[in-house]
Amino acid sequence: AFLGGLFGDSIEEVTARDGQIVLDMTSLGKGVSHHYSYHEGATAIRFFLVRDQEGTLRAAFDACEVCRKEGKGYKFENGVMVCVNCGRTFALERIGVAGGGCNPHPLAVKINGNTVHVAVKDLMDGAGYFPENEQKK
């Protein structure tokens, strides 16, 4: 299911099996981002994957420490990831590496060829980056 254009790009709803989300990234081209949403109970978490110009897959939460309260996330534009709230840009090579401040918060994933494994535990560790989760406490 796609939630078209809520945060600048379409968001695909994903589910887990045995504590893992497994995503096939074969069709993800260079310089393209793909956004996902995962729900566990009342908790909602968004993340994205992007393939940089070298072909390396990179993963991050669709939120940062600074603009997270706005809940707008990032979009891919002109070869970089852009914060939908403040407009700051982030080189693809820094996604999943640099954290803190306005950088998209890195998400730990395991990459095996074109398959990405996301542990639900690692996703849940980032629940605090999404303001909708604070309202349900």
Side-chain angles (χ1 to χ4, degrees):
F2 284 91
L3 307 174
L6 281 179
F7 300 93
D9 292 316
S10 61
I11 300 174
E12 183 178 349
E13 190 93 28
V14 292
T15 56
R17 179 177 289 157
D18 299 324
Q20 294 278 317
I21 296 165
V22 180
L23 302 166
D24 181 359
M25 293 288 100
T26 304
S27 64
L28 186 67
K30 291 179 184 176
V32 176
S33 68
H34 207 121
H35 297 248
Y36 300 92
S37 175
Y38 174 77
H39 291 83
E40 184 168 292
T43 303
I45 297 168
R46 293 185 317 278
F47 63 100
F48 67 87
L49 296 168
V50 64
R51 192 181 298 273
D52 68 21
Q53 295 305 324
E54 303 297 315
T56 303
L57 280 165
R58 300 182 175 275
F61 287 99
D62 204 3
C64 70
E65 292 173 14
V66 177
C67 294
R68 68 174 193 79
K69 288 190 185 324
E70 301 302 320
K72 296 179 181 176
Y74 299 87
K75 64 181 176 179
F76 178 79
E77 195 173 83
N78 300 322
V80 294
M81 293 305 293
V82 179
C83 176
V84 176
N85 186 59
C86 75
R88 286 200 53 200
T89 60
F90 304 90
L92 300 185
E93 293 71 30
R94 309 261 308 144
I95 303 299
V97 178
C102 211
N103 287 289
H105 193 76
L107 170 62
V109 296
K110 288 187 176 68
I111 298 171
N112 184 356
N114 282 316
T115 304
V116 176
H117 297 260
V118 183
V120 169
K121 178 197 167 299
D122 292 331
L123 274 179
M124 297 309 283
D125 286 346
Y129 284 103
F130 302 93
E132 56 267 35
N133 297 324
E134 293 175 1
Q135 296 163 4
K136 293 176 179 156
K137 287 182 181 173

